[in-house]
């Protein structure tokens, strides 16, 4: 249960976009004549933007979904809202999304993407053939006439399409779990938003609004993903050095800066391997993320930084001492071939009596500093904290030093 708020947080922006689209449709069901052009141009612009961003950031899954949405919207408009074309689109698009979710991420700019382009091209020819078979949205004979009757009497999306949507959405959630990064969450939200658009395909205005919302969800998710790549460390999940530089510029006159270094990390890495070293960095990052009153950053290598805005030195020192003690007291079981992969099994392993060579512990040294008459800028304070860290190392490590 404690994970639910963090898990739900990435869905706030997509849910807000869809909710605003629904509110806009409810308050203004008819598009004003002066804005009629946006009904078609708006979704096109946003879909092209989503396609371009997914290609630029090399997100293969997002690229396939955006390309399918763009091609589907164009085909539905080109063939004047043909029932047969609509039926093909609401089956093909979620099937594409399902397939790309089940396959490994290969990027959008490499050889693996060419196969998707060939598949999308073949689907475009199929949809064009289906559209050419009927000359008007609600006219025709034989199977086209049956489709017209079904369209008027039944829910818009056929049962096969609904199954495909459900499977694609479930697969997208599976891909997003458990990290819930913006791009995978955006892919899942786009599938859900497109389903809503498909359900309102009889109303061209409502359909266009939700298609625009679908594309906007993807655009925002991809921009958020790029921001995280630039400002967040991928190994520990903490904000990175660039985010630290941004935060230093916005500090007030009272704050504390701490520098944290993992003791004997190089020796630890050489002895146990880089995989175990990465586990140590993740452990330290998780503990520092819980520091009271401060924000932790990955500074680089085995170094971290913690900022305490509007905090007194003794309060920051007390918080850091608590974190130092929690890291020192943690016993980490090495991830060997025989170690359980599930977290709850790992908890039991840490509580059991194990041979000493299988249980590892780590310590950190911490230096901290605050503004003074001589330390006027944040970078001067940061340098002073680094010097305090050096003194902690010289005094025997595993301690907090001013």
């Amino acid at each position: 249960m404690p994970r639910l708020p963090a898990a739900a947080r990435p869905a706030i922006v997509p849910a807000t976009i869809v909710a605003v689209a629904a509110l806009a449709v409810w308050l203004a069901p008819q598009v004003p004549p002066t804005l009629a052009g946006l009904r078609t141009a708006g979704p096109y612009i946003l879909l092209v933007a989503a396609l371009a961003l997914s290609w630029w950031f090399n997100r293969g899954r997002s690229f396939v979904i955006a390309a399918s949405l763009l091609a589907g919207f164009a085909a539905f408009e080109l063939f004047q809202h043909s029932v047969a074309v609509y039926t093909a689109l609401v089956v093909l698009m979620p099937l594409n999304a399902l397939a790309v979710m089940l396959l490994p991420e290969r990027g959008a700019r490499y050889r693996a993407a060419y196969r998707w382009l060939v598949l999308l091209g073949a689907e475009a020819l199929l949809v064009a053939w289906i559209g050419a078979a009927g000359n008007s949205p609600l006219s025709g004979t034989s199977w086209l006439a049956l489709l017209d009757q079904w369209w008027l009497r039944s829910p818009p999306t056929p049962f096969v399409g609904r199954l495909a949507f459900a499977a694609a959405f479930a697969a997208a959630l599976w891909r997003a779990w458990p990290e819930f990064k913006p791009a995978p969450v955006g892919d899942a939200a786009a599938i859900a938003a497109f389903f809503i658009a498909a359900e309102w395909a009889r109303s061209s205005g409502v359909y266009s609004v939700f298609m625009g919302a679908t594309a906007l969800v993807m655009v925002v998710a991809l921009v958020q993903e790029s921001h995280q790549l630039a400002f967040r460390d991928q190994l520990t999940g903490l904000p990175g050095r660039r985010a630290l530089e941004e935060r230093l510029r916005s500090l007030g006159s009272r704050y504390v800066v701490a520098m944290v270094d993992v003791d004997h990390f190089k020796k630890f890495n050489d002895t146990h391997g880089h995989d175990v070293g990465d586990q140590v960095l993740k452990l330290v990052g998780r503990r520092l993320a819980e520091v009271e009153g401060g924000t932790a950053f990955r500074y680089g290598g085995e170094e971290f930084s913690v900022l305490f805005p509007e905090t007194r030195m003794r309060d920051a020192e007390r918080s850091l001492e608590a974190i130092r003690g929690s890291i020192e007291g943690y016993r980490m079981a090495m991830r060997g071939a025989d170690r359980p992969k599930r977290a709850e099994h790992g908890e039991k392993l840490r509580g059991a009596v194990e041979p000493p060579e299988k249980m590892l512990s780590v310590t950190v040294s911490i230096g901290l500093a605050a503004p003074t008459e001589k330390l006027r800028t944040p970078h001067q304070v940061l340098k002073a904290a680094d010097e305090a860290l050096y003194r902690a190392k010289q005094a025997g490590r595993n301690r907090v030093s001013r």
Side-chain angles (χ1 to χ4, degrees), residues 258-262 284 288 302-306 364-366 389:
M259 291 297 294
V260 183
D261 186 84
V262 181
V284 174
L288 289 175
E302 68 270 26
E303 284 191 312
F304 298 82
S305 182
V306 185
V364 296
S365 298
I366 304 173
L389 170 62

Side-chain angles (χ1 to χ4, degrees), residues 158-233:
F159 180 71
V160 174
R162 288 170 181 259
L163 284 179
F165 270 114
F169 183 70
L173 290 180
W174 168 62
R175 283 298 184 185
W177 181 272
E179 296 178 332
F180 294 103
K181 291 184 178 180
V185 171
D187 291 340
I191 293 169
F194 178 64
F195 174 75
I196 297 173
E199 290 292 290
W200 287 90
R202 291 194 186 102
S203 174
S204 59
V206 177
Y207 172 75
S208 295
V209 168
F210 278 105
M211 284 299 294
T214 302
L216 183 58
V217 163
M218 296 194 68
V219 169
V220 172
L222 288 164
V223 171
Q224 287 180 317
E225 181 87 355
S226 68
H227 181 273
Q228 281 201 3
L229 290 174
F231 287 88
R232 190 165 292 273
D233 176 60

Side-chain angles (χ1 to χ4, degrees), residues 51-351:
L51 185 66
L53 286 173
S54 59
W55 182 85
W56 183 260
F57 296 131
N58 200 31
R59 292 292 178 265
R61 295 192 179 104
S62 299
F63 180 81
V64 171
I65 293 174
S68 299
L69 289 170
L70 178 60
F73 184 77
F76 198 46
E77 293 292 323
L78 178 64
F79 292 104
Q80 303 176 5
H81 295 198
S82 164
V83 178
V85 169
Y86 165 84
T87 305
L89 294 177
V90 295
V91 173
L92 290 175
M93 188 278 167
L95 287 179
N96 286 347
L98 175 61
V100 79
M101 290 300 165
L102 295 178
L103 294 173
E105 173 66 72
R106 299 294 189 187
R109 290 184 287 176
Y110 303 122
R111 183 176 299 177
Y114 300 160
R115 301 170 186 172
W116 282 108
L117 294 176
V118 172
L119 176 62
L120 292 172
E123 290 178 353
L125 292 175
L126 174 63
V127 171
W129 176 79
I130 292 174
N135 295 323
S136 63
L138 295 176
S139 64
T141 58
S142 66
W143 64 277
L144 288 176
L146 293 176
L147 272 178
D148 294 343
Q149 295 175 13
W150 162 81
W151 172 273
L152 294 173
R153 298 177 184 178
S154 305
T157 308
F159 180 71
V160 174
R162 288 170 181 259
L163 284 179
F165 270 114
F169 183 70
L173 290 180
W174 168 62
R175 283 298 184 185
W177 181 272
E179 296 178 332
F180 294 103
K181 291 184 178 180
V185 171
D187 291 340
I191 293 169
F194 178 64
F195 174 75
I196 297 173
E199 290 292 290
W200 287 90
R202 291 194 186 102
S203 174
S204 59
V206 177
Y207 172 75
S208 295
V209 168
F210 278 105
M211 284 299 294
T214 302
L216 183 58
V217 163
M218 296 194 68
V219 169
V220 172
L222 288 164
V223 171
Q224 287 180 317
E225 181 87 355
S226 68
H227 181 273
Q228 281 201 3
L229 290 174
F231 287 88
R232 190 165 292 273
D233 176 60
Q234 296 301 299
L235 178 64
T236 63
L238 295 176
R241 189 165 179 173
R242 182 179 294 184
L244 172 64
E245 295 289 340
E246 292 280 334
R247 188 67 180 90
L248 287 175
R249 289 198 287 265
S250 64
L251 291 172
S253 59
R254 189 175 73 168
Y255 59 90
V256 177
V257 179
M259 291 297 294
V260 183
D261 186 84
V262 181
D263 294 330
H264 302 294
F265 184 73
K266 185 178 185 304
K267 181 179 179 181
F268 200 98
N269 241 357
D270 293 341
T271 302
H272 302 289
H274 292 284
D275 289 341
V276 177
D278 286 347
Q279 293 177 49
V280 169
L281 293 176
K282 290 179 181 179
L283 162 65
V284 174
R286 284 197 303 270
R287 288 293 188 265
L288 289 175
E290 299 169 356
V291 66
E292 182 180 355
T295 302
F297 300 82
R298 173 86 182 277
Y299 193 75
E302 68 270 26
E303 284 191 312
F304 298 82
S305 182
V306 185
L307 294 185
F308 294 88
E310 299 299 327
T311 303
R312 294 175 297 184
M313 176 71 83
R314 64 174 178 268
D315 294 331
E317 189 172 9
R318 184 172 58 248
S319 297
L320 290 168
E321 183 61 40
I323 293 297
R324 185 206 60 77
S326 75
I327 294 173
E328 180 188 19
Y330 188 90
R331 294 296 179 267
M332 182 180 69
M334 290 184 61
R335 287 190 181 277
D338 57 342
R339 186 184 178 194
K341 300 299 183 182
R342 296 180 63 86
E344 57 268 25
H345 295 168
E347 292 287 346
K348 293 178 181 178
L349 180 59
R350 285 192 288 273

Side-chain angles (χ1 to χ4, degrees), residues 248 251 255-259 307 313 367-372 374-388:
L248 287 175
L251 291 172
Y255 59 90
V256 177
V257 179
M259 291 297 294
L307 294 185
M313 176 71 83
L368 66 162
T372 63
K374 295 182 179 179
L375 304 175
R376 295 181 178 274
T377 69
H379 284 89
Q380 289 175 334
V381 177
L382 185 68
K383 183 178 179 181
D386 198 48
E387 293 171 352

